[in-house]
Structures are given as structure tokens and as C-alpha cells.
Amino acid sequence: MKIGIIGLGRMGGNIARRLMRAGHETVVFDRDEKAVAALVADGSVGAASLADMQGKLADPAIYWVMLPAGDPTEQTVATIADQCGPGGIIIDGGNSFYKDDIRRAKALAEKQVHYVDVGTSGGVWGLERGYCMMVGGDPETIKTLDPILEALAPGVGSIPRTPGRDNDLEDPRAEMGYIHAGPAGAGHFVKMVHNGIEYGLMQAYAEGFDILKGKSSEHLPEDERFDLNLTDIAEVWRRGSVISSWLLDLTAIGLAKDQMLEHFTGSVADSGEGQWTIDAAMEEKVPANVLSAALYARYRSRVEHTFGDKLLSAMRFGFGGHVEMPQ
Amino acid sequence: MKIGIIGLGRMGGNIARRLMRAGHETVVFDRDEKAVAALVADGSVGAASLADMQGKLADPAIYWVMLPAGDPTEQTVATIADQCGPGGIIIDGGNSFYKDDIRRAKALAEKQVHYVDVGTSGGVWGLERGYCMMVGGDPETIKTLDPILEALAPGVGSIPRTPGRDNDLEDPRAEMGYIHAGPAGAGHFVKMVHNGIEYGLMQAYAEGFDILKGKSSEHLPEDERFDLNLTDIAEVWRRGSVISSWLLDLTAIGLAKDQMLEHFTGSVADSGEGQWTIDAAMEEKVPANVLSAALYARYRSRVEHTFGDKLLSAMRFGFGGHVEMPQ
Amino acid sequence: MKIGIIGLGRMGGNIARRLMRAGHETVVFDRDEKAVAALVADGSVGAASLADMQGKLADPAIYWVMLPAGDPTEQTVATIADQCGPGGIIIDGGNSFYKDDIRRAKALAEKQVHYVDVGTSGGVWGLERGYCMMVGGDPETIKTLDPILEALAPGVGSIPRTPGRDNDLEDPRAEMGYIHAGPAGAGHFVKMVHNGIEYGLMQAYAEGFDILKGKSSEHLPEDERFDLNLTDIAEVWRRGSVISSWLLDLTAIGLAKDQMLEHFTGSVADSGEGQWTIDAAMEEKVPANVLSAALYARYRSRVEHTFGDKLLSAMRFGFGGHVEMPQ
Amino acid sequence: MKIGIIGLGRMGGNIARRLMRAGHETVVFDRDEKAVAALVADGSVGAASLADMQGKLADPAIYWVMLPAGDPTEQTVATIADQCGPGGIIIDGGNSFYKDDIRRAKALAEKQVHYVDVGTSGGVWGLERGYCMMVGGDPETIKTLDPILEALAPGVGSIPRTPGRDNDLEDPRAEMGYIHAGPAGAGHFVKMVHNGIEYGLMQAYAEGFDILKGKSSEHLPEDERFDLNLTDIAEVWRRGSVISSWLLDLTAIGLAKDQMLEHFTGSVADSGEGQWTIDAAMEEKVPANVLSAALYARYRSRVEHTFGDKLLSAMRFGFGGHVEMPQ
């Protein structure tokens, strides 16, 4: 199939490459001409503008937009929705907020343009491993896109089948590494919760390794201290333990390079999805202490002291002078 | 009554003074001779040693130990238990762990010495306001001590009576500002939970004021920022709001002095009681997310970055290179 | 002054009454004619409709809207904004979301109508104690409303002055029990955070009393159990302890009536403000573990089991069969 | 090698079988004669008592104790320590508290008996997959046990090597699936933290799936609801996503069987290790919000309503009557 890809950052570029490896034709555009040239060298057709791209695609056209969420995606979707005509398909493969998808899909439907949102997990490893994708949109459009999605997905590969799974009852796409999650927005919603879980998992490991490391702490009586080798612990847990995971593999890689992790500052960024997951939990009235705590740990990592901490000290000063004992 | 007071820090010294104001006789001892001299100037009888104090007390003797929890209290209690003879009463007014009280009470009972634990709240304000006390021990001994405890307690004062309260059903001591909570250990247990709650309350205010302060943050769109006067907010909440409290009064004092709280570093200490409260919750299988989070906020305030934060960055690096967008 | 009051529920009715006691004139309207009649009996002028009310007010008119947040408030504000003409003042005294205030104030400014938001704390006790109010709007309008707000506020009363407070530097209104917090929306924002804190404080007490109650639990070794009198504990903490507060007064009242609290089901509602406070924290990137945990405890209280709990069991079954020991 | 195995539950029995498969000789004992007979049928030598076992082992003897933590393990270790003589090795392969290991190792060292603690992960899958083991004890003894431990461990197998790992710098055992973590107690300590992390990971998934399931909730506006297929979501996340893990594999198995998980009650047990992990965090002053919240979710799952929930309602009643709006 022929597909236009807009946005050739690390994700967009590799998506184009993986599609070409599977025999699909790609037309590519990016504000950065060098990024376009690099893809052209790999076999893509380059486009000089969005309008130019339209002329180089089939009719109806299929677009994959891979831009930062918010304005860049919003404006690009609007522009190509105007130019592609009835029957066109616009895929947002970025990290949009799912309520924006719901809104856009409604607006585009009035022009008979199909809107599809694809939540994509896999990071820089996706080119080789394939991308795990959660897709929202109408069933007919997804069926049209199946060859594209199949090419991007990891496929069945060597991952063992889930005992008891019956593909007659469920969507057989799931075993290929992608799903049709529901109507527009459902793809990004599922991806959003995926990231919320990711934060929680990461923080669980982080706290655990903190406790392992702290076991040599001077807060402890000398005969209760252990000087543990975190690199070996991460390694051994990868092998037969209940908590083995891909994130643990990454932890083992990081610790093998530098057990003290000294080249990291400890300031941790968060994308919007952790926050949106908490919003969703609150809208649904679902308690989510772990996912919230994971998010807050990142906020906290980025400030030296909170004003709240100082307020605690102010209160303590108020009731105890500087004396700590009996309050 | 006559009572020996050991440990003349801010708390012990003021307890002696408040007892003398109520007409009780005090014999005092501290390793620091100046502290003894200051109390003697205020009317106490000074003792040169624990042995000397025994000779200056009535028989059976009553001791109030006001020392740091752990070894200092442990050793002093052991020493005076040996010297005071059957019928003696030893009060631990410090912050001992309640399981130590249970153990000590059993050991002293074999010598017919009565052990009483008094959890004391009130800080530096206690001399004037009186001390709120939670007392553990056997009923007869507490009855003996009532004149002492009544003198230390705030008394009914101007605090309005709780509607519906019936002192025929409950312990009338509570309205005076102290209670007989149960057998030895119960006093410190109730005080321990008091401090656990205190941490939770303080952290609730801390987070709330953090959110008020953050409302001028550059994270926000310009037309959604407010530059709020925290000093006035604390003040107004003292007056008729649902969240008025003594801790809020202290907050208002702190903010009136310095709205930016700039003379506080933001490193917040914790005594053992917050931790023991969480231990008790876990032993009882009671969920205590708020009290735990309050304690952890203090731990977190005392380190610049956790090792766990760095581990998060290491994992992020692993799956995304340095690229943050789509993971 | 003359003021129209729309919405005569428990709050609106009492606000009218407190204003009349201070000599203000009130014109009142409610869909429920009986509510109007009751106020008329107390001295108000009744209105048969919003249009009728306009005719009975001064020009420019002052309205106090005391309706549920959302549609009822939205529509009423729109209606009276159309009828009141330039210079009119519309006060939303309910629990609106502060971003709605910002939007409404902008829209009304185009008609030269002044919008004021008043966050009101005090509940059913406000008629006697006065209401603690946080006010947003433009300074001139607030100045016009001072006589109204002063009448509703508790006034300085018997609450001791905050040491170190300087009314030349701060807003002297705060000591009267109300503040001008900032532009439109600021009043409800401060009230929103107030309620977020309230949830945190309440949960801190809830967990603490849970731990006190659990101390008689069969999870514990028999010689570590205490059978504590919670009614007396709440009472004594009111008297000189660090954690005394109005919420503790209410706790003491509740426990004095029924120490087992058997007439409560344990399902706890939440209004939107706790959730909005967490939203604000996330927008500002402020960690708020305690306030979140307090909110989640309420969500959790309203379901018997979460689906997540079942998933935990499914995983446990997966790795251990039904055997619990060594995992 | 020859080894005595005490405790033939699911774990102990399979450990004996896996050792025999690797050519080791096992002498087995259990209070349940049938369990002994089953192992004898598989090639073990049966023992009629602990004393009998000693006679059937080499000198010095090697024992593997696989009993519930607490009294059963404590008493058995004491008995065999008395009978085995200098040079004997006693391995505790159960879930003992690591401070008990430290104490026991000291006591046994006086008799020149070597104490080794092995934290074992792998559950019912261990017989085939091998056991992930974290071992504490003195280096010489562990070297003696290497053939035993190697036989039990999964071995390198098909798990890809960690890029950057250098076995000259680290313990090469880790790649085989076991480590010498440190002196006695270190094995169980690392296993304890492993379980703490496990709780956190499980709860992160649990909350995420709760949010996915809640997306069809009536709390939401109708056009924002999705009816998501959780079975397919778990499956697709196994394939190329950042959050793939063995626990997710188990989740997929559970959901493939029954998407509603209706045969689970939602009451979730916890072993002591989650609690001990929190104790360790507090001793080290390490914040652990996620691990605590995971533990508390299990406590909460086992009660219908907390007393704390009722107290919240009592306070709410106090300030608002039954009226919820404006507080």
C-alpha cells in the first residue's frame, strides 16, 4: 500500500523504514529537509509540502501523522483533512489526548474523512522488534489498514501463546501485536493507560532498588547493613523470577553500565499520559494510589524542596521551638 | 504531692514549674547542674544524683522520667526501679515505644514497682496552656496520680463541651485534658497514633498551600494564574472554616512572619512515632495511605535525589534514547 | 443594602437570614414556593420569578446565586446577566469550578456586568458562627460588597489574633473572616483547595482512629491488644493537644453519640472539589500524595471490590496455584 | 551431592525432583508420610525422622529446610543444628525474616555449623523453568553448594544476555539464575524486596486494568465511554510494548479464561514480605509510596468497610447535616 508519513523524528522515520521493508510505498514529509533526504535515500518518495504529498498519494489518500501532540498535530490534521477529500484516511500515530481524537473524528466524519488513532509503544527498539499498537477508529477503515498495521507490528514471533486463548472469541490481531480497541479515541486511551501502568511499574522497581541500596545506609545498626551488588540482583531477577519484565531488562542494562548511575541527575520528566490516566481514574471514580504516587515521584524529583516542606518546618517551629522531643 | 523529676529539658523543666504552681513539691535532677540550679531558683529541691533523689522523696517514691526514648530512659528506669522499693511509682513521660512500656511494666511488677507511661502533647506551649496527656498503667496507680495529672492538664477551661457527651458513661478525666487509656503502654500507644495523625494533618496543609503557591507557576497558561496571598488565606481559614485547627493557627503565625518561609531549608525531621504508627497499622492490617505518605514526604525532603529517581532515568534512556516522545 | 438571593436551600436560606439580622434587605426566589414563603415570614421580600426579582431590586441590581454547580448556576447566571443591565453585580456563592468563573467573568464583562465568586465554608453552622468566605472579582466591586460580606463573615470574635500579623501589610478583611483572594475564579480556587485539604485532614483522623480501633484486633498477639475508648481519646485530644481542630470537635461529637458509629454505612460521598484540587496539583506539577489518597479512600469506600483486586488474585493464582508460600 | 530435604510441600517436593534430575541424591522427610512416599517413588531416600535423616546423609551433612517461616523453621533448624556436628550446612529455603537469619547464623557459628538462607522465586513453575535464587551465607559454604544451586537455577537458557554486562566484574552466577547476595540474611533480604516490588508491579497492572474496565462506567458521559476488550489488551501488551512482563503473561492467561474474573472474590492475601519491605524502607528512611499503597490495597480488599470510612461520614454529618452542598 501507499502511505504518506508526516513527521520524521526517530519514531516517524523508523515507521517509514519498517513499512518499506515490508514492501509498502511511503511518501514522506518533514519541516527538516535533511530528514526527508535521509528517508529518500532509504527508498521513500520525498514531498516538499503537505500539498505536494497529496498529489503523490493514491486517491483516496492515507496519511500517518507522527508529530508532537497538541498544536502541531491539530493543525496538520486540519490541513490534510481539507485536501484529501472523501474516503481519505488520517492516522494520528502520536500521543494525542483521546478526547481530542473523539472530537476530531466527529469533525472529519462530516467531510467523509476517516480518522484513526494509533497508540504506539516500542520506542527506539521498534524498528527491529516491531511496534505494539492500539488502534481506534471504525471497523471498515481498520480493515483497510490491516496490511500497514501488520507490517509495523512485531507479529507472533517467538513469544509463547497464552494458554487458554481462543482467537475465535477474541481479536486475532492481538497475537500479531496490535488491536482494534474501539471507536476513535480508544487507541490512544488504551495507550494512555499503558503509560500510566508503565509509570507505576517503573516506580515499583525504583523504590525496590532504593531499598536495596539503602541497606548499606548509616541509618542502620552496623550489623544489619548489607553492601548489595545491584547489577547482579537485576540480572538474577531476569531469570526465572516473578518480576522479570522488559523494564527489568532495561534496568539490568543500565546497572551493568554503571552501578551507581552517576551520569543521571535524578530529575525525571513525565509526558502528559501519566496525568491523563489519573484524570481518567478520577472521572471513573477508580482509586489509583500507585499510579498517582508514581507520577508525583517524578514531579518531586524535579524540585529541590517544596514549599510544603518549608511549611512543615514552620509548623514544627511553632509547636516545639527548635526542640524535637516530646511534642 | 511530692514527685521526683528526672530530665530538665524544655519539657521536664516546665512540667516541674507547672506542678509547683499547683502546690506540688518537686525534687529535680539533671546531668546538667545549671538546669537543676534554675529549677531550684524556681522553688524545687535539687538532687545531686538519682540516689540522692530517692532520699529526698516520700516513701513510696514517685518519679517522673522525662528523658530521650531509648537508652537514657531505659537505664534510668532500671536504676530507680532498683532503689525505690515496693509501692514506688515510675512514670515515663517521654516518647518511649509502647512495646518497651509493656515489657518494663512486667519487669517492674515483679519488684512491686508500678510503671506508668504518659504520652504528653503540648510542646513549648504546655507551661501556660497545660499538657494533654494519655496515660497507661493500672487503675489504682493512676488514681493515686490524679492530683499530679490534673495539675498538669489544661482543665476544662474555655473549650466548649462536646454536645451529647455523658461523663457518667465515659471517663470524666477526658474533659480535664488527660485520660487513663488502658494498661501500661496504652498511653504511649495513643500518643504515638496522635503523632501519626499530626503528620498526616500537617502534610495535608503542606500540600494544599503548595497548590495555592503553585497557582502562579509558569507551568500554567498565563490567564489561569493567580498570585495568592498565603498569609491572608491561612488567616481567613482560622475564622469559621471547616479546616480551622491549632496547626492552622501555627501556619498563620509562620506565614505572617514570612510569607515565603525563606528561613526554612525544607529539610524536615521526623521522630520515631510516625514510623511506629505505620508499623502498628501494618500489624493490624489497616490501610494507612495518608499517614504513610506524610512520613515519606519527610524522608524525601531530606535527600536531594533518590537512587530510584536515577533508575527511572536509566530505564527511560533504555527504551527511548533521550527522546521523550512517543514511548 | 438590597440583595437578591436565588436558591433557598439550607445555605441560601441562612445567608438571607444572617443578612437580614444585620439590617440588609433581601429579595428571595426559589423554585420551591414554600422555601420563599418561609423566608418572607422571616422578613424577606418574595419574588415570583427571576424577572420579578429584577423589578424589586435597586438599580444596578446585586444578585447572590446559591445553586448547585453546573447547569443550574450556569443558566441562572446567564438569565440574570441579560436582565440586570450595566453595573449589575452577580455573585456565585455556590461551588462552581473556578475555570467556569474565569470564563463567565469575561463573558459578563462584555455586558459591563460584574461577576464575583464566593467560596463559602461553614455549613449548617454558618447562620450562628458566620461564614468563612473567599472572594474573587475586581477590587471595586468587592469594595461595594464589603457591607454584605462583613455581615456574613464571623467577624473578629473571640478567636485570638495571630501574633506577628500586621494588617497594614495584609488585607484586614482576613481577620473579619473573608478575603479578596484575587480576580474572578480566585475565590472558588481557594475554596477548592480548602476542600482538598479538608479531605486530607479528615482522612488523617480516619486512619488514626482506624489504627486505635484495630488495636483490639485478633491480628495481634493477645498481650499486645488494647481496648481503647475512642470517645475519650477524641475528647482529650481537643484539650491542649497539637491536633485539636474543628474536625476533631465534630469527631468527638460523633463518637460521643455512638462510639461504634453503627448508623453509618461507611460509603462516603465526595463533591467535585477534591478531584479538581488534584487536577490543579497535576497542572502545577505539585506532588499531592496525601490529598489524592484521601480522595481515593472515598472512591474505594463506595465499591465492595475493585476489578483490580480480582486481577491480583488472578495473577497470584497464575504463579502460585492456590499455594501462598514461597512465591 | 547428597542433600537432606525437610518439608515436601509443593516447593520442597519439586526442589527434590529437580535436584534428582540433575543427578543429586536426596534424603527426604515430611510429617506427612504420603509426601515422603511420593518422593521415594521418584527416587529419593525416605527418612522416618530428623534423627533418621542425619544417619542417611554424608558427614558433614547438608540440609535444605523448606518449611513455613516462624516456629516450624525455627525449631527444625535448632534440632538439626544440634545433631549435624561441626562443618554441617543448614539451608533455609523458605520465607524467613532476614533478621532471623542473622540471629541464627550467629548462633550456629558457635557450633561451627554453617547457615545459608536462600530466597526462592519461581512458584509452581520452578520445576520446569528452574528457580531464581538469592543466597546469603559465607563465601566458602556457597562455593560448596554451587553444584546444588546450579542444578536448581534456570541456567542461561534462551534469555538474551544483558548488553554491556561483564562477568569478570560481576558474579557470573547471576546469569545462571542465582546470586551470592552477601552474608547470612542477605538472600532473604533481597527476596523480600523482590516480593515488595512484585506487590507494586501487580498493583500497577491492577489499577490500570481497573481504569480500562471503568471506561464503560456510568459515571461518564455516554459519548466518552468505551467498552474495551481486556483480554485482547493484555495480549497485545505482551508483544513489543514497554510493559511486557511475566506478570502480564499471567494476567493474559487469567483474562483469556474469564474476562470478568468472576470466580475471584476480590479478597487478596499478603504474605509477610510486603510488610517487611516497608519496615526496611522506614528503617532506611527511604520513601516507598508505591510499595506501601500496593500493600494497603490488599488490606483494604479484605474488609467491607473501614471504621475510618464511617468516621468520615460522621464528620460530614457534623458539618453539613445530611446536606452535601456547600461545605
Side-chain angles (χ1 to χ4, degrees), chain A residues 136-165:
Chain A
D138 60 90
E140 282 312 302
T141 305
I142 308 305
K143 203 172 282 176
T144 305
L145 296 176
D146 270 331
I148 297 286
L149 297 166
E150 221 169 290
L152 289 173
V156 171
S158 62
I159 292 171
R161 196 164 212 198
T162 296
R165 181 172 171 85

mmCIF file of all heavy atoms in Angstrom, chain A residues 136-165:
data_model
loop_
_atom_site.group_PDB
_atom_site.id
_atom_site.type_symbol
_atom_site.label_atom_id
_atom_site.label_comp_id
_atom_site.label_asym_id
_atom_site.label_seq_id
_atom_site.Cartn_x
_atom_site.Cartn_y
_atom_site.Cartn_z
ATOM 1 N N GLY A 136 -7.742 2.975 17.348
ATOM 2 C CA GLY A 136 -9.144 3.372 17.454
ATOM 3 C C GLY A 136 -9.666 3.874 16.118
ATOM 4 O O GLY A 136 -8.928 4.558 15.390
ATOM 5 N N GLY A 137 -10.908 3.568 15.806
ATOM 6 C CA GLY A 137 -11.488 4.022 14.538
ATOM 7 C C GLY A 137 -12.632 3.108 14.133
ATOM 8 O O GLY A 137 -13.006 2.191 14.881
ATOM 9 N N ASP A 138 -13.209 3.360 12.949
ATOM 10 C CA ASP A 138 -14.322 2.499 12.554
ATOM 11 C C ASP A 138 -13.786 1.210 11.930
ATOM 12 O O ASP A 138 -12.726 1.186 11.314
ATOM 13 C CB ASP A 138 -15.273 3.237 11.610
ATOM 14 C CG ASP A 138 -14.601 3.693 10.347
ATOM 15 O OD1 ASP A 138 -14.590 2.924 9.364
ATOM 16 O OD2 ASP A 138 -14.050 4.824 10.359
ATOM 17 N N PRO A 139 -14.536 0.112 12.100
ATOM 18 C CA PRO A 139 -14.041 -1.220 11.732
ATOM 19 C C PRO A 139 -13.631 -1.340 10.266
ATOM 20 O O PRO A 139 -12.601 -1.952 9.959
ATOM 21 C CB PRO A 139 -15.232 -2.142 12.026
ATOM 22 C CG PRO A 139 -16.056 -1.405 13.009
ATOM 23 C CD PRO A 139 -15.865 0.045 12.727
ATOM 24 N N GLU A 140 -14.387 -0.714 9.357
ATOM 25 C CA GLU A 140 -14.045 -0.852 7.937
ATOM 26 C C GLU A 140 -12.681 -0.231 7.640
ATOM 27 O O GLU A 140 -11.873 -0.789 6.894
ATOM 28 C CB GLU A 140 -15.144 -0.186 7.070
ATOM 29 C CG GLU A 140 -16.389 -1.021 6.915
ATOM 30 C CD GLU A 140 -16.073 -2.461 6.534
ATOM 31 O OE1 GLU A 140 -15.410 -2.666 5.487
ATOM 32 O OE2 GLU A 140 -16.446 -3.372 7.301
ATOM 33 N N THR A 141 -12.457 0.939 8.212
ATOM 34 C CA THR A 141 -11.177 1.617 7.978
ATOM 35 C C THR A 141 -10.011 0.804 8.529
ATOM 36 O O THR A 141 -8.960 0.692 7.890
ATOM 37 C CB THR A 141 -11.218 3.019 8.620
ATOM 38 O OG1 THR A 141 -12.352 3.722 8.116
ATOM 39 C CG2 THR A 141 -9.957 3.806 8.278
ATOM 40 N N ILE A 142 -10.201 0.262 9.712
ATOM 41 C CA ILE A 142 -9.119 -0.535 10.306
ATOM 42 C C ILE A 142 -8.836 -1.740 9.403
ATOM 43 O O ILE A 142 -7.666 -2.101 9.192
ATOM 44 C CB ILE A 142 -9.497 -1.005 11.734
ATOM 45 C CG1 ILE A 142 -9.956 0.164 12.604
ATOM 46 C CG2 ILE A 142 -8.319 -1.746 12.367
ATOM 47 C CD1 ILE A 142 -9.006 1.305 12.711
ATOM 48 N N LYS A 143 -9.899 -2.349 8.874
ATOM 49 C CA LYS A 143 -9.701 -3.486 7.984
ATOM 50 C C LYS A 143 -8.852 -3.059 6.782
ATOM 51 O O LYS A 143 -7.935 -3.764 6.363
ATOM 52 C CB LYS A 143 -11.057 -4.044 7.533
ATOM 53 C CG LYS A 143 -10.985 -5.502 7.100
ATOM 54 C CD LYS A 143 -12.366 -6.110 6.839
ATOM 55 C CE LYS A 143 -13.065 -6.467 8.158
ATOM 56 N NZ LYS A 143 -14.449 -6.971 7.930
ATOM 57 N N THR A 144 -9.154 -1.890 6.225
ATOM 58 C CA THR A 144 -8.347 -1.370 5.116
ATOM 59 C C THR A 144 -6.875 -1.236 5.507
ATOM 60 O O THR A 144 -5.980 -1.489 4.696
ATOM 61 C CB THR A 144 -8.883 0.032 4.723
ATOM 62 O OG1 THR A 144 -10.268 -0.074 4.445
ATOM 63 C CG2 THR A 144 -8.141 0.580 3.517
ATOM 64 N N LEU A 145 -6.664 -0.823 6.756
ATOM 65 C CA LEU A 145 -5.282 -0.549 7.195
ATOM 66 C C LEU A 145 -4.527 -1.789 7.662
ATOM 67 O O LEU A 145 -3.333 -1.705 7.966
ATOM 68 C CB LEU A 145 -5.293 0.494 8.320
ATOM 69 C CG LEU A 145 -5.801 1.886 7.945
ATOM 70 C CD1 LEU A 145 -5.846 2.778 9.187
ATOM 71 C CD2 LEU A 145 -4.899 2.526 6.885
ATOM 72 N N ASP A 146 -5.218 -2.927 7.745
ATOM 73 C CA ASP A 146 -4.580 -4.115 8.313
ATOM 74 C C ASP A 146 -3.199 -4.416 7.708
ATOM 75 O O ASP A 146 -2.255 -4.706 8.472
ATOM 76 C CB ASP A 146 -5.509 -5.341 8.198
ATOM 77 C CG ASP A 146 -6.414 -5.499 9.426
ATOM 78 O OD1 ASP A 146 -6.000 -5.074 10.517
ATOM 79 O OD2 ASP A 146 -7.522 -6.047 9.305
ATOM 80 N N PRO A 147 -3.006 -4.309 6.396
ATOM 81 C CA PRO A 147 -1.665 -4.613 5.861
ATOM 82 C C PRO A 147 -0.575 -3.702 6.416
ATOM 83 O O PRO A 147 0.558 -4.137 6.671
ATOM 84 C CB PRO A 147 -1.839 -4.394 4.355
ATOM 85 C CG PRO A 147 -3.303 -4.541 4.096
ATOM 86 C CD PRO A 147 -3.985 -4.031 5.337
ATOM 87 N N ILE A 148 -0.917 -2.430 6.585
ATOM 88 C CA ILE A 148 0.019 -1.470 7.167
ATOM 89 C C ILE A 148 0.346 -1.840 8.605
ATOM 90 O O ILE A 148 1.516 -1.909 9.023
ATOM 91 C CB ILE A 148 -0.616 -0.050 7.146
ATOM 92 C CG1 ILE A 148 -0.877 0.421 5.716
ATOM 93 C CG2 ILE A 148 0.228 0.949 7.932
ATOM 94 C CD1 ILE A 148 0.353 0.830 4.964
ATOM 95 N N LEU A 149 -0.706 -2.072 9.368
ATOM 96 C CA LEU A 149 -0.538 -2.329 10.802
ATOM 97 C C LEU A 149 0.198 -3.641 11.033
ATOM 98 O O LEU A 149 1.061 -3.742 11.914
ATOM 99 C CB LEU A 149 -1.908 -2.321 11.491
ATOM 100 C CG LEU A 149 -2.633 -0.968 11.412
ATOM 101 C CD1 LEU A 149 -4.105 -1.112 11.805
ATOM 102 C CD2 LEU A 149 -1.943 0.068 12.309
ATOM 103 N N GLU A 150 -0.127 -4.632 10.208
ATOM 104 C CA GLU A 150 0.533 -5.924 10.335
ATOM 105 C C GLU A 150 2.033 -5.786 10.088
ATOM 106 O O GLU A 150 2.850 -6.434 10.743
ATOM 107 C CB GLU A 150 -0.077 -6.894 9.331
ATOM 108 C CG GLU A 150 -0.288 -8.281 9.891
ATOM 109 C CD GLU A 150 -1.130 -9.126 8.952
ATOM 110 O OE1 GLU A 150 -2.347 -8.862 8.812
ATOM 111 O OE2 GLU A 150 -0.545 -10.035 8.329
ATOM 112 N N ALA A 151 2.369 -4.948 9.119
ATOM 113 C CA ALA A 151 3.788 -4.758 8.792
ATOM 114 C C ALA A 151 4.543 -4.080 9.935
ATOM 115 O O ALA A 151 5.714 -4.373 10.189
ATOM 116 C CB ALA A 151 3.921 -3.920 7.525
ATOM 117 N N LEU A 152 3.854 -3.190 10.637
ATOM 118 C CA LEU A 152 4.513 -2.472 11.729
ATOM 119 C C LEU A 152 4.595 -3.311 13.001
ATOM 120 O O LEU A 152 5.515 -3.159 13.799
ATOM 121 C CB LEU A 152 3.761 -1.161 12.019
ATOM 122 C CG LEU A 152 3.904 -0.084 10.947
ATOM 123 C CD1 LEU A 152 2.993 1.096 11.257
ATOM 124 C CD2 LEU A 152 5.363 0.390 10.851
ATOM 125 N N ALA A 153 3.603 -4.179 13.187
ATOM 126 C CA ALA A 153 3.520 -4.950 14.425
ATOM 127 C C ALA A 153 4.634 -5.982 14.487
ATOM 128 O O ALA A 153 5.225 -6.329 13.470
ATOM 129 C CB ALA A 153 2.159 -5.632 14.510
ATOM 130 N N PRO A 154 4.937 -6.459 15.699
ATOM 131 C CA PRO A 154 6.009 -7.446 15.841
ATOM 132 C C PRO A 154 5.659 -8.785 15.200
ATOM 133 O O PRO A 154 6.541 -9.547 14.842
ATOM 134 C CB PRO A 154 6.142 -7.618 17.365
ATOM 135 C CG PRO A 154 5.342 -6.547 17.984
ATOM 136 C CD PRO A 154 4.370 -6.031 16.996
ATOM 137 N N GLY A 155 4.367 -9.083 15.078
ATOM 138 C CA GLY A 155 3.981 -10.417 14.626
ATOM 139 C C GLY A 155 4.077 -11.413 15.765
ATOM 140 O O GLY A 155 4.536 -11.080 16.859
ATOM 141 N N VAL A 156 3.644 -12.638 15.499
ATOM 142 C CA VAL A 156 3.596 -13.655 16.555
ATOM 143 C C VAL A 156 4.998 -13.902 17.122
ATOM 144 O O VAL A 156 5.192 -13.990 18.328
ATOM 145 C CB VAL A 156 2.964 -14.949 16.012
ATOM 146 C CG1 VAL A 156 3.102 -16.071 17.034
ATOM 147 C CG2 VAL A 156 1.497 -14.698 15.678
ATOM 148 N N GLY A 157 5.966 -14.040 16.252
ATOM 149 C CA GLY A 157 7.357 -14.177 16.696
ATOM 150 C C GLY A 157 7.553 -15.342 17.627
ATOM 151 O O GLY A 157 6.858 -16.367 17.537
ATOM 152 N N SER A 158 8.481 -15.154 18.579
ATOM 153 C CA SER A 158 8.841 -16.266 19.448
ATOM 154 C C SER A 158 8.128 -16.193 20.793
ATOM 155 O O SER A 158 8.400 -16.990 21.687
ATOM 156 C CB SER A 158 10.357 -16.228 19.675
ATOM 157 O OG SER A 158 10.687 -15.024 20.333
ATOM 158 N N ILE A 159 7.245 -15.226 20.931
ATOM 159 C CA ILE A 159 6.565 -15.085 22.222
ATOM 160 C C ILE A 159 5.523 -16.194 22.347
ATOM 161 O O ILE A 159 4.677 -16.361 21.478
ATOM 162 C CB ILE A 159 5.919 -13.691 22.334
ATOM 163 C CG1 ILE A 159 7.031 -12.638 22.414
ATOM 164 C CG2 ILE A 159 4.993 -13.600 23.530
ATOM 165 C CD1 ILE A 159 6.551 -11.215 22.323
ATOM 166 N N PRO A 160 5.610 -16.978 23.421
ATOM 167 C CA PRO A 160 4.717 -18.134 23.531
ATOM 168 C C PRO A 160 3.256 -17.724 23.598
ATOM 169 O O PRO A 160 2.901 -16.656 24.108
ATOM 170 C CB PRO A 160 5.149 -18.818 24.833
ATOM 171 C CG PRO A 160 6.083 -17.912 25.518
ATOM 172 C CD PRO A 160 6.482 -16.825 24.598
ATOM 173 N N ARG A 161 2.423 -18.572 23.051
ATOM 174 C CA ARG A 161 0.990 -18.327 23.047
ATOM 175 C C ARG A 161 0.439 -18.357 24.470
ATOM 176 O O ARG A 161 0.894 -19.141 25.302
ATOM 177 C CB ARG A 161 0.330 -19.435 22.237
ATOM 178 C CG ARG A 161 -1.042 -19.064 21.858
ATOM 179 C CD ARG A 161 -1.592 -19.920 20.752
ATOM 180 N NE ARG A 161 -2.491 -19.122 19.950
ATOM 181 C CZ ARG A 161 -3.375 -19.640 19.137
ATOM 182 N NH1 ARG A 161 -3.439 -20.941 18.957
ATOM 183 N NH2 ARG A 161 -4.182 -18.848 18.475
ATOM 184 N N THR A 162 -0.550 -17.523 24.733
ATOM 185 C CA THR A 162 -1.213 -17.522 26.034
ATOM 186 C C THR A 162 -2.095 -18.767 26.151
ATOM 187 O O THR A 162 -3.023 -18.929 25.354
ATOM 188 C CB THR A 162 -2.089 -16.262 26.178
ATOM 189 O OG1 THR A 162 -1.241 -15.120 26.164
ATOM 190 C CG2 THR A 162 -2.885 -16.303 27.455
ATOM 191 N N PRO A 163 -1.791 -19.648 27.115
ATOM 192 C CA PRO A 163 -2.630 -20.841 27.271
ATOM 193 C C PRO A 163 -4.084 -20.436 27.507
ATOM 194 O O PRO A 163 -4.358 -19.507 28.264
ATOM 195 C CB PRO A 163 -2.060 -21.523 28.513
ATOM 196 C CG PRO A 163 -0.737 -20.903 28.763
ATOM 197 C CD PRO A 163 -0.760 -19.541 28.148
ATOM 198 N N GLY A 164 -4.993 -21.124 26.838
ATOM 199 C CA GLY A 164 -6.415 -20.868 27.058
ATOM 200 C C GLY A 164 -6.978 -19.810 26.130
ATOM 201 O O GLY A 164 -8.191 -19.590 26.079
ATOM 202 N N ARG A 165 -6.129 -19.133 25.390
ATOM 203 C CA ARG A 165 -6.621 -18.085 24.499
ATOM 204 C C ARG A 165 -7.307 -18.707 23.284
ATOM 205 O O ARG A 165 -6.814 -19.648 22.697
ATOM 206 C CB ARG A 165 -5.455 -17.221 24.030
ATOM 207 C CG ARG A 165 -5.905 -16.092 23.128
ATOM 208 C CD ARG A 165 -4.820 -15.106 22.785
ATOM 209 N NE ARG A 165 -5.336 -14.221 21.752
ATOM 210 C CZ ARG A 165 -6.052 -13.129 21.999
ATOM 211 N NH1 ARG A 165 -6.275 -12.768 23.249
ATOM 212 N NH2 ARG A 165 -6.543 -12.394 21.010
#
